[in-house]
Amino acid sequence: MSKYRVLIDAYDEKGLVHKVSTVFYNNDLNILSNNEFVDKENNKFFMRSVVDGDIDLDILYDLLKKVLPSSANIKVIAPKKKNIVIMATKEMHALGDILIRHEAGELEANILAVVSNYSDLESLVTKFGIPFMAVSHVDLDRAEHENKILECLAEFKDIDYIVLAKYMRILTPRFVEVYADRIINIHHSFLPAFIGANPYKQAYDRGVKIIGATSHFVNNNLDEGPIIAQEVIHVDHAYGWRDMQRSGKDVEKVVLSRALKLALEDRIFVYANRTVIF
Amino acid sequence: MSKYRVLIDAYDEKGLVHKVSTVFYNNDLNILSNNEFVDKENNKFFMRSVVDGDIDLDILYDLLKKVLPSSANIKVIAPKKKNIVIMATKEMHALGDILIRHEAGELEANILAVVSNYSDLESLVTKFGIPFMAVSHVDLDRAEHENKILECLAEFKDIDYIVLAKYMRILTPRFVEVYADRIINIHHSFLPAFIGANPYKQAYDRGVKIIGATSHFVNNNLDEGPIIAQEVIHVDHAYGWRDMQRSGKDVEKVVLSRALKLALEDRIFVYANRTVIF
Amino acid sequence: MSKYRVLIDAYDEKGLVHKVSTVFYNNDLNILSNNEFVDKENNKFFMRSVVDGDIDLDILYDLLKKVLPSSANIKVIAPKKKNIVIMATKEMHALGDILIRHEAGELEANILAVVSNYSDLESLVTKFGIPFMAVSHVDLDRAEHENKILECLAEFKDIDYIVLAKYMRILTPRFVEVYADRIINIHHSFLPAFIGANPYKQAYDRGVKIIGATSHFVNNNLDEGPIIAQEVIHVDHAYGWRDMQRSGKDVEKVVLSRALKLALEDRIFVYANRTVIF
Amino acid sequence: MSKYRVLIDAYDEKGLVHKVSTVFYNNDLNILSNNEFVDKENNKFFMRSVVDGDIDLDILYDLLKKVLPSSANIKVIAPKKKNIVIMATKEMHALGDILIRHEAGELEANILAVVSNYSDLESLVTKFGIPFMAVSHVDLDRAEHENKILECLAEFKDIDYIVLAKYMRILTPRFVEVYADRIINIHHSFLPAFIGANPYKQAYDRGVKIIGATSHFVNNNLDEGPIIAQEVIHVDHAYGWRDMQRSGKDVEKVVLSRALKLALEDRIFVYANRTVIF
């Protein structure tokens, strides 16, 4: 008995559910959960099923491939731990939250390493027996610095996701391209408000009554990639921007960990700079 | 071209989705939305599909009936306005919210009448051209009072839902039986906390930091019917119980209207004293 | 026995609380509630006290004036109903919410009139015995249209607040100047995200997972006035922009009514494009 | 220059603010923040001021003592790290959250030790250089087990707070008495709903749409002590009780850490089984 996550996205047409469910039925697969969504505006169909039964992954894939339109994207995934690298700068809360979840066995992930442009976090990371790589940006231009990081990462094959746990530097298009759709960032505002540097200062200056955090995939437009998860908290006039920053940390870490969990469980589809999440 | 809501609940077994989607496919129906849920603990399957196509309601029903297990509950519903009666006592906020939504055309409902044990709300209700029936409970025992209400309601055939918009009297089992699974109540606490009278006073006495409201179907155990929707707000030490009551109104009305909307759109399954909501 | 709201803002210096509380004490006033806030960054002091006792308003004002720095702003207010005019366009939810609260006696306000650039809302407003003034903008330029509205408003003396309950036209600086700091707007996004037209469409296009509403005082920069209240709700991929618009209405009306209530209770200080709210 | 937190609670009477602020003013103290609350129902006055200036703690205390009613409780506290002991059982999330905050320097606390009735958490705790004490309850009755814990704790003088970070055993009145008003618990429900064992199972069985967590001081009635903080999250029919348990962890840890922070900053007054929090 094997368990698979089946992810399908395709241009919508009549009969897609019928075709997929017929494959499941004819092969005696049990549907454990099933989600579908049709985006009428973009004429797109999305489906995520979890099934178990006695069939090889490749065979299931081929059977689905045969009945579905050639333009359909089909993934059949046997659940297992994914490989992640975390990048951070100096702040401990978002990284620490992931480390504790990892230690507690809550994450379907192996943490291959933590990379930082400072060494402040080394003591925390190595407590957990996880490799820590300090790659200072001092005296380097952005491309040189990223080259050094890319070299570090090159020693790991099969990185599924790179998690930016308050990594406070902008990535170049070249870096983003290498790990396209696999970089998950946490931005400390409810995007698209307060793009860029020091969003809490911006929020304070605007006099908002709510602050938030946004986890998103990174693309080449700063803070404009597809949003995975957002959360907010209420603030009032008594919050200076440093108070917002302090309180915001609790939102940041929860939102980033939530987004990471969704990715690790293969629950996210990305299209048209948006996400469908089952 | 007709549009139908198809609701199915059944004991779970392999092939249910396949069978239903085959009926849809063979009859050239278009699936506009599709939700499924399997409750493994209770071995129950739930499905709600919205389809359109060129088929009679009865024929679609019969085709589904033929392929599904005999124990399955099947509903095929052509969307149309449902008939509701609202019962209230003296408070204006929950009733007023429904009246305004009705006036704005937001509700798939005809309001047949508003029934109250006082006449305070008559002026508001009749502004909207809706019949108002005052049925005083004074000098009557509970059974006599309910008899009079039941007589009033008897003049309306086809009442789909009775909405208790802060109707502050307890209904007897006899009344509940007549309108089983069709009475929607709003209780002014996050149930199961603070069952019974004056929940805001109870909440204040307990010193809680959140208060809430719960909309549920009414059964014969006070405030213990299947929950449809809940919402809360934060309070602090500065809230006396009357402040809680005042602030709570905003939650009560939003939660009741949300539950009513779900019912009118045939999105609620009830089983085992719980709800599945698509 | 009279009851007063005392509002003070001043540059911060030692002894302000002492001076005010000494006036209260020496005149045998009872402090019913008391809030203070010091904005260290801007060196500003804010205080709102509710007191009762046997003293004339003018005398209390003079006593405070005598002990406080000459630059302090002092208000002593005897609570009474304030006069408001509501401006709206076609949507019923925000206006309707205020009308129901008014009818229920929840608002410390007289609604002098509802002004709209369409006549769609006339039927709703006149049900409540409130004057409705349709001032069409058709064939008029912005200045001409506003002139006509200003003429309508001129017949009311002592308008305390103008409430824009989804009034979908931009006000000119001239209009804003006439009612400076007295115009309360509801914008259908969590500002500063999605300034300008159709924020729900903008939100959908950005693929956000939360939407919101913001109530603020109107100044001459579109959607950039001091924020009074904000609230959000969660959405997901299944929300088209019209779904967001529908769900957003519940947030809009609650936020606008909350802001209005704060204004009517003299709980808001405005400075540096932000609000202090007690 | 010294900085003090001044906490006063007393039966309400005219002039309390005046008397306190006069002491501050006459001694040239600067008020950094000031909060007051009068509970009219119980005729109680609460005040928390943060002041700085050139005065001894004892002198300030004596001056306040002199002007205030003899029944007033007065605390003058020089901010410093408080000593805490954490008790836990097997779960890592709430403890881990506190450990990370401690490591990040976010907490005004020294963690003297972590005590558990199992040894599962030893590996995590010792990573951070914090003493771990396993005190197994196996083969011991409740009194014997607690005696052993009390012996362990006896080696620490000046324990300010004991934090129950998912300590899954009930404390006896004797234990509670030793650390009266100094034990902070997290209960995994929005109390008073679901008191006692396995609240997530209870919540699932009741079919609720929100779950929550409550942090409270421990008294001798199970889960009935004064509430410090509460938070909730929404769930739906797809959540089994183990899903609720998993998702609930994020709320539990945030609420417990929030309550702990309030305690460490001397922001909590307890009276009449409720809290006033500034």
Side-chain angles (χ1 to χ4, degrees):
Chain A
M1 285 287 285
S2 303
K3 185 170 168 178
Y4 300 114
R5 296 170 187 159
V6 177
L7 282 79
I8 297 164
D9 68 286
Y11 287 106
D12 191 33
E13 56 176 61
K14 272 185 201 171
L16 293 174
V17 176
H18 169 68
K19 283 163 185 164
V20 174
S21 64
T22 301
V23 168
F24 293 165
Y25 185 65
N26 288 344
N27 290 278
D28 210 28
L29 298 179
N30 196 28
I31 301 177
L32 302 175
S33 79
N34 205 26
N35 291 93
E36 295 136 43
F37 171 63
V38 176
D39 178 339
K40 264 131 212 135
E41 195 159 328
N42 294 290
N43 195 38
K44 287 276 289 177
F45 169 88
F46 302 89
M47 184 172 184
R48 180 184 185 272
S49 302
V50 181
V51 297
D52 63 10
D54 191 16
I55 191 169
D56 275 358
L57 189 150
D58 294 340
I59 292 172
L60 178 54
Y61 178 85
D62 288 343
L63 289 169
L64 290 167
K65 191 83 192 158
K66 209 169 294 174
V67 300
L68 288 169
S70 62
S71 65
N73 294 308
I74 304 166
K75 287 185 194 167
V76 180
I77 300 166
K80 63 166 189 193
K81 286 197 177 184
K82 292 188 170 29
N83 294 320
I84 67 174
V85 169
I86 304 173
M87 292 173 66
T89 292
K90 287 182 167 182
E91 287 176 283
M92 214 171 261
H93 59 287
L95 171 63
D97 197 62
I98 296 173
L99 292 175
I100 294 289
R101 286 174 199 267
H102 182 254
E103 184 77 9
E106 281 181 34
L107 294 182
E108 287 187 26
N110 304 307
I111 303 178
L112 303 179
V114 175
V115 180
S116 175
N117 52 326
Y118 288 93
S119 56
D120 302 49
L121 297 168
E122 178 162 15
S123 157
L124 175 67
V125 172
T126 53
K127 282 186 207 320
F128 290 88
I130 292 167
F132 179 84
M133 298 167 166
V135 184
S136 174
H137 61 281
V138 175
D139 295 333
L140 300 180
D141 67 23
R142 193 174 299 277
E144 289 169 337
H145 182 234
E146 274 193 1
N147 274 344
K148 294 187 95 174
I149 294 178
L150 286 169
E151 279 166 32
C152 282
L153 299 182
E155 66 175 79
F156 304 108
K157 302 183 212 132
D158 301 327
I159 297 177
D160 291 292
Y161 290 104
I162 293 185
V163 181
L164 306 183
K166 300 299 295 286
Y167 180 69
M168 304 307 278
R169 291 175 60 83
I170 296 170
L171 298 172
T172 69
R174 182 167 153 250
F175 191 102
V176 172
E177 196 185 351
V178 174
Y179 297 100
D181 288 337
R182 287 184 290 158
I183 310 174
I184 298 173
N185 186 40
I186 181 73
H187 183 74
H188 36 316
S189 82
F190 50 92
L191 288 174
F194 312 129
I195 284 172
N198 207 338
Y200 291 121
K201 185 74 172 54
Q202 293 182 56
Y204 174 79
D205 288 341
R206 180 59 189 91
V208 296
K209 301 296 185 189
I210 52 176
I211 58 173
T214 303
S215 187
H216 62 97
F217 287 113
V218 175
N219 66 13
N220 285 322
N221 298 312
L222 181 61
D223 301 330
E224 298 197 354
I227 293 171
I228 305 169
Q230 298 188 289
E231 195 53 83
V232 300
I233 51 169
H234 286 254
V235 294
D236 62 32
H237 57 261
Y239 283 71
W241 76 263
R242 289 186 183 285
D243 302 303
M244 290 182 178
Q245 188 182 46
R246 245 187 311 273
S247 297
K249 285 179 181 178
D250 280 358
V251 187
E252 293 168 21
K253 74 182 183 192
V254 166
V255 171
L256 179 60
S257 289
R258 194 187 300 163
L260 177 57
K261 190 166 185 290
L262 293 169
L264 295 175
E265 296 178 357
D266 301 304
R267 294 180 176 277
I268 312 176
F269 293 84
V270 176
Y271 80 110
N273 207 42
R274 62 178 58 246
T275 59
V276 169
I277 295 177
F278 290 133
Chain B
M1 285 287 285
S2 303
K3 186 169 168 178
Y4 301 112
R5 295 171 187 157
V6 177
L7 281 80
I8 296 164
D9 68 286
Y11 287 105
D12 192 33
E13 57 176 59
K14 270 184 203 173
L16 293 175
V17 176
H18 169 68
K19 283 164 184 164
V20 174
S21 65
T22 301
V23 168
F24 293 165
Y25 185 63
N26 289 344
N27 291 279
D28 210 28
L29 299 178
N30 197 27
I31 300 177
L32 302 176
S33 79
N34 206 24
N35 290 94
E36 294 136 42
F37 171 64
V38 175
D39 178 339
K40 263 131 212 133
E41 195 159 327
N42 294 291
N43 195 38
K44 288 276 289 177
F45 170 88
F46 302 89
M47 183 172 185
R48 180 185 184 272
S49 302
V50 182
V51 297
D52 64 10
D54 191 15
I55 191 170
D56 276 358
L57 188 149
D58 293 339
I59 292 172
L60 178 54
Y61 178 86
D62 288 343
L63 289 169
L64 291 166
K65 190 83 192 159
K66 209 169 294 175
V67 300
L68 288 170
S70 61
S71 64
N73 295 308
I74 305 166
K75 287 185 196 169
V76 180
I77 300 165
K80 62 168 188 189
K81 287 197 177 183
K82 292 187 168 37
N83 294 319
I84 67 174
V85 168
I86 304 173
M87 292 173 67
T89 292
K90 288 182 166 183
E91 287 176 284
M92 215 171 259
H93 59 288
L95 172 63
D97 198 61
I98 296 173
L99 292 175
I100 294 288
R101 285 175 199 267
H102 182 254
E103 184 77 9
E106 280 181 35
L107 294 183
E108 288 187 24
N110 304 307
I111 303 178
L112 303 179
V114 175
V115 180
S116 175
N117 52 326
Y118 288 92
S119 57
D120 301 49
L121 296 167
E122 178 162 17
S123 156
L124 175 67
V125 172
T126 53
K127 283 186 208 319
F128 291 88
I130 292 167
F132 179 84
M133 298 167 165
V135 183
S136 173
H137 61 282
V138 174
D139 295 334
L140 300 180
D141 66 23
R142 194 173 299 278
E144 289 169 337
H145 182 234
E146 273 193 2
N147 274 345
K148 294 188 95 175
I149 294 179
L150 285 169
E151 278 166 32
C152 282
L153 299 182
E155 67 175 78
F156 305 108
K157 302 182 210 131
D158 301 327
I159 296 177
D160 291 294
Y161 290 104
I162 292 184
V163 181
L164 306 183
K166 300 300 295 288
Y167 179 69
M168 304 307 278
R169 291 174 61 83
I170 296 169
L171 297 173
T172 68
R174 182 166 154 252
F175 191 102
V176 172
E177 196 185 352
V178 175
Y179 298 100
D181 286 338
R182 287 185 288 157
I183 309 175
I184 299 172
N185 185 38
I186 181 73
H187 183 76
H188 37 316
S189 82
F190 50 91
L191 289 174
F194 312 130
I195 284 172
N198 209 337
Y200 291 122
K201 184 77 172 55
Q202 294 183 53
Y204 174 80
D205 287 342
R206 180 60 189 92
V208 295
K209 301 298 185 186
I210 51 175
I211 57 173
T214 303
S215 186
H216 61 96
F217 287 112
V218 175
N219 66 15
N220 286 323
N221 299 311
L222 182 61
D223 302 330
E224 298 197 354
I227 293 172
I228 306 168
Q230 297 188 290
E231 195 54 83
V232 300
I233 52 170
H234 286 255
V235 295
D236 62 32
H237 58 260
Y239 284 70
W241 75 264
R242 289 187 183 284
D243 303 303
M244 291 183 177
Q245 188 182 48
R246 246 187 310 274
S247 296
K249 286 180 181 177
D250 280 359
V251 187
E252 294 168 20
K253 74 184 185 192
V254 165
V255 171
L256 179 60
S257 289
R258 193 186 300 161
L260 176 57
K261 192 167 184 290
L262 292 169
L264 296 175
E265 296 179 356
D266 302 304
R267 294 180 176 278
I268 312 175
F269 292 85
V270 175
Y271 78 110
N273 209 39
R274 60 177 59 245
T275 58
V276 169
I277 295 178
F278 290 132
Chain C
M1 284 287 285
S2 304
K3 185 169 169 178
Y4 301 112
R5 296 170 186 158
V6 177
L7 282 79
I8 296 163
D9 68 286
Y11 288 105
D12 191 32
E13 58 177 59
K14 272 184 200 170
L16 293 174
V17 175
H18 169 68
K19 284 164 184 164
V20 173
S21 65
T22 302
V23 169
F24 292 166
Y25 184 65
N26 289 343
N27 291 278
D28 209 29
L29 298 178
N30 197 28
I31 301 177
L32 302 176
S33 79
N34 205 26
N35 291 93
E36 295 135 43
F37 171 63
V38 175
D39 177 340
K40 265 133 210 130
E41 195 159 327
N42 294 290
N43 195 39
K44 287 275 289 177
F45 169 88
F46 301 89
M47 183 172 185
R48 179 185 185 273
S49 302
V50 182
V51 297
D52 64 11
D54 190 16
I55 191 169
D56 276 358
L57 188 150
D58 293 340
I59 292 173
L60 178 54
Y61 178 87
D62 288 343
L63 289 169
L64 291 166
K65 190 82 193 161
K66 210 169 293 174
V67 300
L68 289 170
S70 62
S71 64
N73 294 308
I74 305 166
K75 287 184 194 167
V76 180
I77 300 164
K80 62 167 189 191
K81 287 196 177 182
K82 291 187 171 31
N83 295 319
I84 67 173
V85 169
I86 304 172
M87 292 173 65
T89 292
K90 288 181 167 183
E91 287 177 282
M92 214 170 260
H93 59 287
L95 171 63
D97 197 61
I98 297 173
L99 292 175
I100 294 289
R101 286 175 199 267
H102 182 254
E103 185 77 9
E106 281 181 34
L107 294 183
E108 287 187 25
N110 305 307
I111 304 177
L112 303 178
V114 175
V115 179
S116 175
N117 52 325
Y118 289 93
S119 56
D120 303 48
L121 297 168
E122 179 163 14
S123 156
L124 175 67
V125 172
T126 53
K127 282 186 208 320
F128 291 87
I130 292 167
F132 179 83
M133 298 167 165
V135 184
S136 173
H137 61 281
V138 175
D139 295 333
L140 300 179
D141 67 23
R142 192 173 301 277
E144 289 168 338
H145 181 234
E146 274 193 0
N147 274 344
K148 294 187 95 175
I149 294 178
L150 287 169
E151 279 166 31
C152 281
L153 299 183
E155 66 175 78
F156 304 109
K157 300 184 215 133
D158 301 328
I159 297 177
D160 291 293
Y161 290 104
I162 292 185
V163 182
L164 306 183
K166 301 301 291 292
Y167 181 69
M168 304 306 278
R169 292 174 60 82
I170 296 169
L171 299 172
T172 69
R174 183 167 152 250
F175 191 102
V176 172
E177 196 185 349
V178 175
Y179 298 101
D181 288 337
R182 287 186 288 160
I183 309 176
I184 298 172
N185 186 38
I186 181 73
H187 183 75
H188 36 314
S189 82
F190 50 92
L191 289 174
F194 312 130
I195 284 172
N198 208 338
Y200 291 122
K201 185 74 171 56
Q202 294 182 55
Y204 174 80
D205 288 342
R206 180 60 189 90
V208 296
K209 301 296 185 188
I210 52 175
I211 57 173
T214 304
S215 186
H216 62 96
F217 288 112
V218 175
N219 66 14
N220 286 322
N221 298 311
L222 182 61
D223 302 330
E224 298 197 351
I227 293 171
I228 306 168
Q230 297 189 291
E231 195 53 83
V232 300
I233 51 170
H234 286 255
V235 295
D236 62 32
H237 57 261
Y239 284 71
W241 75 264
R242 288 186 184 284
D243 302 303
M244 290 182 178
Q245 188 182 47
R246 247 187 309 273
S247 296
K249 286 179 180 177
D250 280 0
V251 187
E252 294 168 20
K253 74 183 184 193
V254 166
V255 171
L256 179 59
S257 288
R258 194 186 299 162
L260 176 57
K261 190 167 185 292
L262 293 169
L264 295 175
E265 296 178 357
D266 301 304
R267 294 181 176 278
I268 312 175
F269 293 84
V270 176
Y271 79 110
N273 208 41
R274 61 178 57 244
T275 59
V276 169
I277 295 177
F278 290 133
Chain D
M1 285 288 284
S2 303
K3 185 170 168 178
Y4 301 113
R5 296 170 187 159
V6 178
L7 282 79
I8 296 164
D9 67 286
Y11 289 105
D12 191 33
E13 57 176 61
K14 272 185 202 170
L16 293 174
V17 176
H18 168 70
K19 284 165 184 163
V20 174
S21 65
T22 301
V23 169
F24 293 166
Y25 184 64
N26 288 344
N27 291 279
D28 210 30
L29 299 178
N30 197 27
I31 301 177
L32 302 175
S33 79
N34 205 25
N35 291 93
E36 295 135 43
F37 171 64
V38 176
D39 178 339
K40 264 133 212 132
E41 196 159 328
N42 294 291
N43 194 37
K44 287 277 288 177
F45 169 87
F46 302 89
M47 183 171 185
R48 179 184 184 274
S49 302
V50 182
V51 297
D52 64 10
D54 191 15
I55 191 169
D56 277 357
L57 189 149
D58 294 339
I59 293 171
L60 178 53
Y61 178 86
D62 289 342
L63 288 169
L64 290 166
K65 190 84 192 158
K66 209 169 297 174
V67 300
L68 288 169
S70 61
S71 65
N73 295 309
I74 304 166
K75 288 184 193 167
V76 180
I77 301 165
K80 62 167 188 189
K81 288 198 177 183
K82 292 187 170 33
N83 294 320
I84 67 174
V85 169
I86 304 173
M87 292 173 66
T89 292
K90 288 181 166 182
E91 287 176 283
M92 215 171 259
H93 59 288
L95 171 63
D97 197 61
I98 296 173
L99 293 175
I100 294 289
R101 287 175 199 267
H102 181 254
E103 185 78 9
E106 280 180 35
L107 294 183
E108 287 186 27
N110 305 306
I111 303 178
L112 303 179
V114 175
V115 179
S116 175
N117 52 325
Y118 289 93
S119 57
D120 302 49
L121 297 168
E122 178 162 17
S123 157
L124 175 67
V125 171
T126 53
K127 283 186 206 321
F128 291 88
I130 292 167
F132 179 85
M133 298 167 165
V135 183
S136 173
H137 60 282
V138 175
D139 296 332
L140 300 179
D141 67 23
R142 193 174 301 278
E144 289 169 337
H145 181 234
E146 274 192 2
N147 273 344
K148 294 187 96 175
I149 294 177
L150 285 169
E151 279 165 30
C152 281
L153 299 183
E155 67 176 76
F156 304 109
K157 301 183 213 132
D158 301 327
I159 297 177
D160 291 293
Y161 290 104
I162 292 184
V163 182
L164 307 184
K166 302 299 296 288
Y167 180 69
M168 305 307 277
R169 291 175 61 84
I170 296 170
L171 298 172
T172 68
R174 185 169 152 248
F175 191 102
V176 173
E177 195 185 353
V178 175
Y179 297 101
D181 288 337
R182 288 185 289 158
I183 309 175
I184 299 173
N185 186 39
I186 181 72
H187 183 75
H188 36 316
S189 82
F190 50 92
L191 288 174
F194 312 130
I195 284 173
N198 208 340
Y200 291 122
K201 184 76 172 55
Q202 294 182 55
Y204 174 79
D205 287 341
R206 180 60 189 89
V208 296
K209 301 297 185 186
I210 52 175
I211 57 173
T214 304
S215 187
H216 62 97
F217 287 112
V218 176
N219 66 15
N220 286 323
N221 297 311
L222 180 62
D223 302 330
E224 298 197 353
I227 293 171
I228 306 168
Q230 298 188 290
E231 195 53 85
V232 299
I233 52 169
H234 287 255
V235 295
D236 62 32
H237 58 260
Y239 283 71
W241 76 264
R242 288 186 184 285
D243 303 303
M244 291 183 177
Q245 188 182 48
R246 248 188 308 273
S247 297
K249 285 180 181 176
D250 280 359
V251 186
E252 292 168 21
K253 74 184 183 192
V254 166
V255 170
L256 179 60
S257 289
R258 193 186 301 161
L260 177 57
K261 190 167 185 289
L262 292 170
L264 295 175
E265 295 178 356
D266 301 305
R267 295 180 175 277
I268 312 175
F269 292 85
V270 175
Y271 79 110
N273 208 41
R274 60 178 58 246
T275 58
V276 168
I277 295 176
F278 290 132

